[in-house]
Amino acid sequence: MSNLNETLENLRGNYQGAKFDIEDCNPDPELQFDFWLQNALNAKCDEPNAFVLSTVTASGKPRARVLLLKGIHNGKFVFYTNYKSSKGDEMETNSRVALTFLWLPLQRQVRIEGVVTKLSIEASEEYFKKRPRGSQLGAIASPQSKKVASRAELERLFKEAAEKFEEATILPRPPHWGGYAVSPDYLEFWQGRANRMHDRICYEKTDAGWALFRLAP
C-alpha cells in the first residue's frame, strides 16, 4: 500500500488548456453548455454525455453514480431511470441534485446544481419507444437497486421478460421507469490551466437573470 500511496502522491496532470474568461462566455448558460458539449463530441471524448448524478438520502448520506444525459429541453437537463431505484427514492425525498460532467481530453469540467422533477408520462413514453429492444426489456426485468442472489437470477428475470413479450412488436413502458429533468440554478465551467491556476467561470440564477463571476481555483 505504501508504494501505491507514493504513486498516487506523485501523479501529476499537465494542464495546458486554452484561456477561458467571462468575456468568452455566452450570456445563456445552456448555450455555453451546448457549445462545450459539441466540442467534446467533436473531440471524440469517451461517453461525452456521461455525468455524475449526486443526491442525498433522507438521513443525509451523500450518494453519487454515473448516468447518461439524454437531452436538454427548455434549459432542463434530461435523463431516464427507474423511479424505484435508490436515486429515485432519494430524488423523491430531496429534489436538490448536482450533475458533474468531465471531458478529460479537453481538460474541462462542468458542475450543475438545481432542482429535479419527473418528466411527463407522454415524454417518457416517447423516449422509451426509441430505446433498443434489449434496453427496454432490461428496464422491464431489472428490480434496480434491489438485492439479487446471483447473476443467474438477473439472467432469469431478463429471459422471463423476453419470453413474455416475445410476440409483442411494441413493448410497454413499465410504470416504474421514466424521465427526470433538472432545472439548474448554478453552473460552473472549469478549464484546466498551467500551475493549477485553473479557470472557473460560474453562472448563478438571480431574480434579474444569470449572474456571471469567477472563482479562484
Side-chain angles (χ1 to χ4, degrees):
M1 180 61 73
S2 60
N3 289 337
L4 176 59
N5 286 336
E6 184 177 352
T7 299
L8 292 173
E9 289 173 356
N10 290 317
L11 282 176
R12 296 286 184 274
N14 184 24
Y15 293 98
Q16 297 290 339
K19 166 185 169 292
F20 181 58
D21 212 334
I22 289 178
E23 61 264 23
D24 303 316
C25 296
N26 192 298
D28 185 333
E30 179 186 350
L31 295 180
Q32 181 62 43
F33 182 88
D34 290 350
F35 179 65
W36 271 26
L37 179 55
Q38 189 60 57
N39 287 168
L41 289 165
N42 294 342
K44 300 187 183 304
C45 294
D46 290 337
E47 301 282 12
N49 61 328
F51 68 93
V52 175
L53 172 69
S54 300
T55 56
V56 178
T57 67
S59 62
K61 181 180 179 181
R63 304 285 295 275
R65 74 289 287 164
V66 178
L67 281 77
L68 297 177
L69 182 72
K70 287 300 178 180
I72 307 171
H73 304 296
N74 299 319
K76 298 180 180 180
F77 293 77
V78 173
F79 61 92
Y80 297 83
T81 190
N82 189 315
Y83 294 147
K84 295 184 179 180
S85 64
S86 295
K87 57 185 170 296
D89 290 340
E90 290 147 18
M91 289 186 290
E92 189 70 27
T93 301
N94 185 343
S95 61
R96 294 290 307 178
V97 299
L99 288 62
T100 306
F101 293 82
L102 177 63
W103 301 306
L104 277 175
L106 299 177
Q107 300 180 344
R108 286 177 174 174
Q109 172 183 276
V110 179
R111 292 178 50 235
I112 299 170
E113 299 173 6
V115 176
V116 67
T117 56
K118 286 182 180 177
L119 287 183
S120 67
I121 292 175
E122 293 76 16
S124 293
E125 292 278 2
E126 181 179 356
Y127 176 72
F128 188 78
K129 292 175 183 176
K130 297 176 182 177
R131 303 187 87 209
R133 187 177 181 87
S135 297
Q136 292 177 328
L137 288 169
I140 293 170
S142 176
Q144 193 174 106
S145 300
K146 304 300 185 289
K147 291 182 179 180
V148 291
S150 64
R151 175 72 195 189
E153 182 178 350
L154 285 178
E155 298 288 355
R156 177 183 60 79
L157 291 171
F158 186 89
K159 182 180 179 182
E160 288 177 354
E163 291 174 348
K164 179 179 179 180
F165 296 103
E166 185 175 7
E167 298 182 5
T169 303
I170 299 176
L171 299 185
R173 178 188 66 87
H176 59 260
W177 188 96
Y180 289 92
V182 177
S183 300
D185 49 40
Y186 177 86
L187 300 92
E188 178 186 314
F189 292 80
W190 181 97
Q191 174 69 67
R193 298 293 300 277
N195 302 314
R196 291 298 191 271
M197 297 299 285
H198 310 304
D199 290 323
R200 297 173 63 189
I201 307 300
C202 306
Y203 295 74
E204 190 166 41
K205 200 167 192 178
T206 69
D207 292 339
W210 289 100
L212 271 73
F213 55 91
R214 172 182 283 272
L215 293 180

